[in-house]
Amino acid sequence: VQLVESGGGSVQAGGSLRLSCVSSAYTFSRHFMAWFRQVPGKEREGVAAIYISGRTTYYADDVKGRFTISHDQARATLYLQMNSLEPDDTAMYYCAQSTRAFSSEHWNEGSRYERWGQGTQVTVS
């Protein structure tokens, strides 16, 4: 199973981007899917996650109200709508998929996700 991200790019502060992540399996795990981001020299951090079966969403505090995670089951695609982008949002963004259940308080722990995309760069100036 491959996860392929797209939609990154360069935007000015205040702008918007929508990231997409397509699963080659054409199906999603019943569990969590998430977006993480990483800046060189810093730890990877969870940005947002969605529990596929229940559609419950989770967000990092610094993106709440600006980012929205969603998925289209028919298209096997995960999205991240990013509005009001700030320079601090500049990072490589990765899509991640869990194949096992875990408690929701761990949604932002990268070790909980077994499958990862190759990343898409977002640059905000």
Side-chain angles (χ1 to χ4, degrees):
V1 175
Q2 283 187 314
L3 301 176
V4 180
E5 301 99 333
S6 62
S10 297
V11 296
Q12 292 188 336
S16 297
L17 285 172
R18 188 175 80 157
L19 305 184
S20 299
C21 170
V22 179
S23 171
S24 64
Y26 296 101
T27 59
F28 277 155
S29 162
R30 295 182 294 111
H31 307 301
F32 280 93
M33 291 199 73
W35 290 96
F36 285 76
R37 65 187 180 187
Q38 189 168 24
V39 175
K42 293 188 177 181
E43 290 188 3
R44 179 178 55 195
E45 62 174 353
V47 175
I50 184 167
Y51 183 63
I52 297 298
S53 294
R55 295 183 175 264
T56 308
T57 57
Y58 305 85
Y59 296 94
D61 288 342
D62 58 349
V63 306
K64 282 180 182 176
R66 299 190 298 122
F67 290 10
T68 302
I69 188 170
S70 62
H71 73 95
D72 183 331
Q73 193 78 11
R75 297 177 184 271
T77 302
L78 181 73
Y79 300 102
L80 184 68
Q81 178 67 43
M82 305 186 295
N83 298 328
S84 302
L85 282 162
E86 303 169 353
D88 284 348
D89 295 318
T90 296
M92 184 72 79
Y93 283 71
Y94 298 92
C95 170
Q97 181 182 49
S98 70
T99 60
R100 297 169 295 178
F102 56 81
S103 184
S104 62
E105 65 260 32
H106 301 296
W107 73 264
N108 59 348
E109 296 175 11
S111 61
R112 301 285 178 167
Y113 299 84
E114 295 82 19
R115 297 172 179 158
W116 293 82
Q118 83 289 350
T120 185
Q121 177 67 36
V122 172
T123 302
V124 185
S125 59

